[in-house]
Amino acid sequence: TVVRLGQERGEAAEKRHVHRDEDGRGYVLPLAGEAVGQPPHQLSQKVAMINGVDICGQIARQFRKEDMLEFDKIYVMDKSNLKNVKQMSGAYWDESKVDLFLNELYPGGNQDVPDPWYGEEDGYHEVYRLIGKACDKIIEKYSSIQNSKFKIQK
């Protein structure tokens, strides 16, 4: 599960890296956004299409406290998301399941994914590349786990 407040942050990179277990459940999955019920930002859609990924049909949904029980790992895009997910999770909060997304790329760095919303198109390209690298690290990490419940499909 990937939680983000700004939909502009990496939908295409996330969608490109969705993998499913044998039950068809995703383990890296764009999930929750600020613009609940809305499609991705137009520049996110454009950058995705340039990279061969169509995200036009993607719609954000609200994070639910039950997500804490349903998913093994929840990645948040920034510290504000982390605070919000903790608050929304209530009694279901499990700190071991939640991490900042870029900690997979820069362990312990506690960096936020940059928000390109107020910038130019090149910021969307940079965020796409950054999230793609982090997704690759996540896939590498979980594909190396022996006897994992995850079935990697490339």
Side-chain angles (χ1 to χ4, degrees), residues 37-98:
Q38 298 296 312
H41 186 277
Q42 288 181 342
L43 283 175
S44 292
Q45 292 182 42
K46 179 181 179 181
V47 169
M49 202 59 84
I50 289 169
N51 286 280
V53 180
D54 182 0
I55 61 169
C56 296
Q58 193 178 75
I59 302 294
R61 78 155 171 85
Q62 182 67 52
F63 177 83
R64 301 171 295 124
K65 64 182 177 184
E66 294 82 12
D67 290 336
M68 195 61 67
L69 301 174
E70 183 177 346
F71 295 99
D72 298 305
K73 190 70 177 178
I74 298 172
Y75 291 100
V76 296
M77 291 293 172
D78 58 37
K79 293 169 203 75
S80 175
N81 292 158
L82 182 61
K83 179 182 172 187
N84 291 338
V85 166
K86 182 176 183 177
Q87 180 182 20
M88 294 170 79
S89 297
Y92 294 143
W93 173 250
D94 182 347
E95 185 175 2
S96 69
K97 286 187 169 190
V98 183

Side-chain angles (χ1 to χ4, degrees), residues 17 48 93 95 117 119 122 127 137 153:
H17 290 287
W93 173 250
E95 185 175 2
W117 180 264
D122 60 337
V127 168
K137 286 284 190 183
Q153 299 174 352

